[in-house]
Amino acid sequence: MSIFITFEGIEGSGKSTQISLLADHLSEQKIPFISTREPGGSDIGKKVRKLLLSTENTEITSRTELLLYAADRAQHVEQVIQPALARGKVVLCDRFSDATIAYQGYARGLELELIHSLNSLATGGIKPDLTFLIDCPVETGIGRALKRGEAEGSDEMRFEKEALSFHAKVLEGYKQIAQNEPERISVIDGSMPIGAIHNSIIELFSKRYARATSSRECCKIEL
Ligand code: TMP
């Protein structure tokens, strides 16, 4: 049963851990799925990711940044997400369109209308069915992300190196987006223990999955 699920939050909020725990759950339940991410979910996207995140690329302008995220998304949707959904898979995606609204819109200050138009061009109209926003204090998340990046000797630290005030705007932006779409976006308290966060996610996922399965059964009966 195809469902498109996205995970959002600031760096170091624990998204990746939660995605891999949900992926383990889906494997155990024998539910077909793919796990992917933005930027970098396609082969072309991996090259775009390097451009976008390399710590050296400080001269990228905000509009160039916006267009590169849109380009990455267009390739990702067409080559990876759409085909997986068409084959009836659950798609788990680490960041999607909401990230562009939060980062390039609320934090960089680019016009939200423009971002919405670009998002609809890049996604071909695809929207997540369910989004988990992991709400984590900025100091905790960014502190964790910087430590991890330094320990791994990562070269993909362009955003982690932004000021805390930038990340605070990102988080505020995400909260605003969640307020506008409470049906789709569940805000999860990221300060809970990992297991408790996972349980909340499983509960919300299971409800959504059951709803998708039963509406599919209804359609079959009507046909
Ligand atoms: P991450 O996948 O390692 O979290 O890195 C992705 C970075 O890209 C993260 O700092 C957020 C940023 N980003 C945007 O600014 N806009 C976007 O549309 C997306 C998908 C990510």
Side-chain angles (χ1 to χ4, degrees):
M1 178 63 52
S2 64
I3 304 190
F4 182 22
I5 303 173
T6 59
F7 287 74
E8 300 284 357
I10 58 163
E11 291 79 353
S13 57
K15 285 180 291 100
S16 311
T17 305
Q18 291 303 328
I19 292 172
S20 76
L21 289 172
L22 181 56
D24 291 347
H25 174 78
L26 296 182
S27 298
E28 279 163 20
Q29 300 291 312
K30 304 206 176 348
I31 296 173
F33 73 97
I34 64 158
S35 179
T36 185
R37 70 169 173 182
E38 289 196 358
S42 66
D43 288 341
I44 296 288
K46 287 188 179 69
K47 298 179 187 175
V48 180
R49 181 179 172 95
K50 278 204 184 331
L51 276 175
L52 276 166
L53 303 187
S54 170
T55 316
E56 284 173 10
N57 290 344
T58 47
E59 78 271 32
I60 292 186
T61 71
S62 297
R63 278 184 299 160
T64 305
E65 184 180 277
L66 171 66
L67 290 167
L68 287 171
Y69 278 111
D72 170 74
R73 183 159 305 131
Q75 188 72 22
H76 189 212
V77 166
E78 213 166 311
Q79 207 173 26
V80 178
I81 298 176
Q82 279 276 27
L85 292 173
R87 287 199 301 273
K89 296 193 178 185
V90 171
V91 173
L92 306 182
C93 190
D94 189 342
R95 302 191 185 279
F96 195 62
S97 311
D98 295 323
T100 318
I101 300 170
Y103 282 81
Q104 281 65 51
Y106 284 93
R108 293 274 190 240
L110 292 175
E111 206 189 314
L112 294 182
E113 275 304 305
L114 171 71
I115 298 177
H116 284 295
S117 309
L118 258 183
N119 270 344
S120 68
L121 174 70
T123 61
I126 278 200
K127 278 199 102 181
D129 298 299
L130 183 58
T131 297
F132 295 112
L133 169 58
I134 317 261
D135 180 13
C136 160
V138 169
E139 291 79 3
T140 314
I142 302 307
R144 212 185 270 158
L146 281 171
K147 221 188 224 172
R148 183 177 56 206
E150 275 155 23
E152 290 170 357
S154 171
D155 174 44
E156 296 188 344
M157 303 280 283
R158 196 166 66 86
F159 282 88
E160 283 80 352
K161 296 211 179 273
E162 290 282 350
L164 285 184
S165 57
F166 174 87
H167 295 286
K169 285 186 205 163
V170 171
L171 186 56
E172 271 318 300
Y174 270 134
K175 288 184 179 168
Q176 188 62 56
I177 301 167
Q179 250 179 40
N180 297 342
E181 288 188 75
E183 268 292 296
R184 171 173 68 88
I185 305 177
S186 295
V187 183
I188 311 272
D189 178 0
S191 60
M192 293 191 298
I194 290 176
I197 298 178
H198 176 57
N199 290 340
S200 311
I201 288 177
I202 294 286
E203 196 182 325
L204 291 159
F205 164 77
S206 303
K207 274 191 200 146
R208 188 65 187 78
Y209 192 70
R211 214 166 81 202
T213 314
S214 70
S215 68
R216 170 88 169 259
E217 291 307 317
C218 286
C219 293
K220 269 197 210 151
I221 292 163
E222 277 169 22
L223 287 171

